[in-house]
Amino acid sequence: MDNILEQAYSAESFRRQGHELIDMLADYLADATADREDVRAIPWLDPDKQLAYWQEDFQKPLAKPLDLFQDVIAKSIQVHRKRYMGHQTTPTLPVTILSSAVTAALNQGMGVYEMGMVGNTLEKVMTEYLAMKLGFGREASGFITSGGSLGNLTALLAARAAGSNVWNSGYEDGKRLAVLVSEEAHYCIDRAARIMGLGSEGIIKVPVNMKFQMRTDLLEQCYQQAVSEGKHVICVVGCAGTTSTGSYDDLEAIASFSQQHNIWFHIDGAHGAPAAFSPKYKHLVKGVEKADSVVVDYHKMMMTPSLSTALIFKHGGDAYKTFSQRAQYLWTEQESEEWYNGGKRSFECTKAMSALNVYTIFRTYGEDVFKENIEQLYGITTTFAGLLSSNPNFELAYEPQCNIVCFRYKAEANQDKLNQNIRKLLLEEGRFYIVQTVLSGQTYLRVSLMNPLTTESELHTLLSKIEEKASFLIAV
Ligand SMILES: Cc1ncc(COP(=O)(O)O)c(C=O)c1O
């Protein structure tokens, strides 16, 4: 076949490559629990070398896609490895690798119903189900957006729309809006507030307690201080849980405060809201149903590929006020609440049909798979915390509430540097992947147990590896 486009669209070569790709990915998945030394969680290469490699690759003669994919896999971090314990990225359920292929093949837009007839409908079904699981009433509804950062920005915009007319009239002179949030909240909240023009003065950071939870006893004081400075507080944000430590704020207390002052209550539940699927852990999100809006990342604790974030509103109608604009070529009426025209409520116009991934999980395995995942991961983290507490070489930063735990190797001197270097050696070796964070000004090692296939045995090995690296570093 001579024509390059005919060749590129050939269904037959797709069929052949597709079969080969599935075999390749199945081999990758089969290694998930392998104990072979060559199976690494991260094949670390420093950024300059990585860049040089791909710049050279780009100049080479045309390649077979399968060779390219093999190379990409070999050079990437592998979240399915049972020794991957770093950031909160989920080892996607294999069935969602298949649903992602369907999503890519169909390439639906979602802004307008015709372009996403199934996708827009699945978003409604999925977000209303999640809302019900979180304890909201029938009025609750939502949609799916591209990530927790965008979800939180959208929620803050909704809060602003409820409390001011900035969307239409811009900021009037002297009017200063503000949001109240825990100092441990994800940086995207701060960024969202700045994008909205609130400036650094508009982000009021409420201090945290020893467990890194918002000090709700200080909320009133922070609020009164803001009011006395002439600020109009439009929103209070609760975390369920925080990124660094996985801490859950006291949502009931924040709800009472927000009701008392008639302020929008938003919850960043990107990581921890799916605890609602577990009878054992749902107490952590007690009060979530009192929020005006909640963000939940399906791609963190719900085994779904990135990006897929539910933004849920207690009063579904609130979502339509966020972006009131005319787009005649898409919708004839902006004011009407048409759930099926996705672009009316979301920031995006074109957007992937990511709802299919989470829907496929529900339809294939039922909701118990989410309960099991939460219970396995939160449970094994408690076990890990026990191992750390009983080992005199380690110091636990706090008792973990979910699957995120921070700790450090004890040392007489230079403890921060030692822990940073331990993590660097682990990274370069690549067998385990863990990260680090700073808590109260000190460096801690940070583990997020995201893979339900990780067992206690890997956790013992991790601690031995850390001890080995520490001895080496102390000796040199
Ligand atoms: C609590 C929390 N909120 C928001 C985000 C940002 O979400 P995303 O990475 O989906 O934009 C994160 C990411 O780690 C997070 O942990």
Side-chain angles (χ1 to χ4, degrees), residues 87-89 145-152 184-189 238-244 246 268-272 295-300 306-309 404 446:
H87 293 291
Q88 303 134 271
T89 303
T145 192
S146 304
S149 305
L150 190 57
N152 282 318
E184 279 294 320
H186 188 263
Y187 74 85
C188 70
I189 304 283
C239 296
T242 59
T243 306
S244 280
D268 179 1
H271 181 86
V295 149
V296 185
D297 276 355
Y298 290 125
H299 61 261
K300 286 195 166 64
S306 311
L307 290 164
S308 195
T309 297
I404 301 175
R446 176 174 172 275

Side-chain angles (χ1 to χ4, degrees), residues 78-388:
Q78 300 186 347
V79 297
H80 287 85
R81 303 287 166 253
K82 59 181 178 173
R83 295 176 202 82
Y84 170 93
M85 306 170 178
H87 293 291
Q88 303 134 271
T89 303
T90 188
T92 46
L93 276 187
V95 73
T96 64
I97 303 174
L98 304 178
S99 55
S100 298
V102 176
T103 301
L106 292 178
N107 199 24
Q108 316 273 285
M110 304 288 288
V112 61
Y113 179 66
E114 286 91 331
M115 290 305 297
M117 294 188 290
V118 176
N120 277 305
T121 311
L122 295 188
E123 284 195 17
K124 182 171 167 64
V125 174
M126 285 293 83
T127 53
E128 290 183 3
Y129 190 79
L130 186 55
M132 186 271 290
K133 283 306 287 184
L134 293 174
F136 286 101
R138 298 179 75 84
E139 231 196 299
S141 190
F143 56 91
I144 293 179
T145 192
S146 304
S149 305
L150 190 57
N152 282 318
L153 171 63
T154 309
L156 292 192
L157 286 168
R160 189 179 69 177
S164 80
N165 192 30
V166 173
W167 182 255
N168 289 317
S169 12
Y171 285 100
E172 292 155 29
D173 279 351
K175 183 109 179 172
R176 293 155 70 207
L177 305 187
V179 297
L180 281 164
V181 62
S182 145
E183 62 177 335
E184 279 294 320
H186 188 263
Y187 74 85
C188 70
I189 304 283
D190 184 293
R191 186 175 285 187
R194 289 172 197 263
I195 290 170
M196 287 163 58
L198 271 55
S200 57
E201 295 288 301
I203 305 131
I204 303 164
K205 298 212 168 141
V206 184
V208 293
N209 62 22
M210 299 290 283
K211 296 176 179 167
F212 303 95
Q213 299 161 310
M214 179 194 272
R215 290 229 4 225
T216 49
D217 57 316
L218 296 180
L219 261 178
E220 185 62 30
Q221 193 182 317
C222 292
Y223 174 76
Q224 292 303 343
Q225 171 78 22
V227 172
S228 71
E229 290 165 5
K231 294 176 192 165
H232 171 42
V233 178
I234 52 165
C235 184
V236 55
V237 182
C239 296
T242 59
T243 306
S244 280
T245 60
S247 307
Y248 286 81
D249 288 339
D250 180 344
L251 304 178
E252 295 273 13
I254 304 176
S256 314
F257 165 82
S258 73
Q259 276 159 12
Q260 200 183 332
H261 294 287
N262 197 20
I263 298 172
W264 187 280
F265 176 24
H266 171 64
I267 295 177
D268 179 1
H271 181 86
F277 283 94
S278 158
K280 187 167 174 196
Y281 293 105
K282 70 191 245 191
H283 65 93
L284 293 168
V285 288
K286 196 158 176 282
V288 65
E289 74 289 350
K290 295 182 180 158
D292 294 288
S293 55
V294 184
V295 149
V296 185
D297 276 355
Y298 290 125
H299 61 261
K300 286 195 166 64
M301 294 301 289
M302 293 181 73
M303 296 171 283
T304 302
S306 311
L307 290 164
S308 195
T309 297
L311 174 53
I312 291 166
F313 290 86
K314 176 160 67 187
H315 304 291
D318 283 339
Y320 296 88
K321 297 173 193 144
T322 320
F323 303 110
S324 54
Q325 261 177 323
R326 293 216 169 279
Q328 297 293 11
Y329 77 105
L330 290 178
W331 322 297
T332 41
E333 288 178 65
Q334 171 57 40
E335 301 311 323
S336 56
E337 296 187 0
E338 300 161 341
W339 61 263
Y340 41 85
N341 283 322
K344 281 193 165 183
R345 291 178 290 166
S346 70
F347 185 84
E348 305 101 316
C349 178
T350 304
K351 181 181 73 182
M353 187 175 55
S354 74
L356 180 63
N357 295 323
V358 69
Y359 189 79
T360 304
I361 302 178
F362 271 104
R363 294 288 289 114
T364 312
Y365 300 107
E367 69 166 67
D368 270 3
V369 74
F370 299 117
K371 164 184 167 294
E372 292 294 324
N373 192 47
I374 291 283
E375 295 189 354
Q376 171 64 22
L377 295 176
Y378 283 29
I380 196 161
T381 307
T382 307
T383 307
F384 187 41
L387 295 181
L388 287 161

Side-chain angles (χ1 to χ4, degrees), residues 410-426:
K410 285 190 195 158
E412 301 278 307
N414 299 328
Q415 199 175 359
D416 282 355
K417 198 82 207 136
L418 176 67
N419 281 278
Q420 286 158 16
N421 286 336
I422 290 172
R423 136 107 182 141
K424 188 162 173 281
L425 290 181
L426 285 174

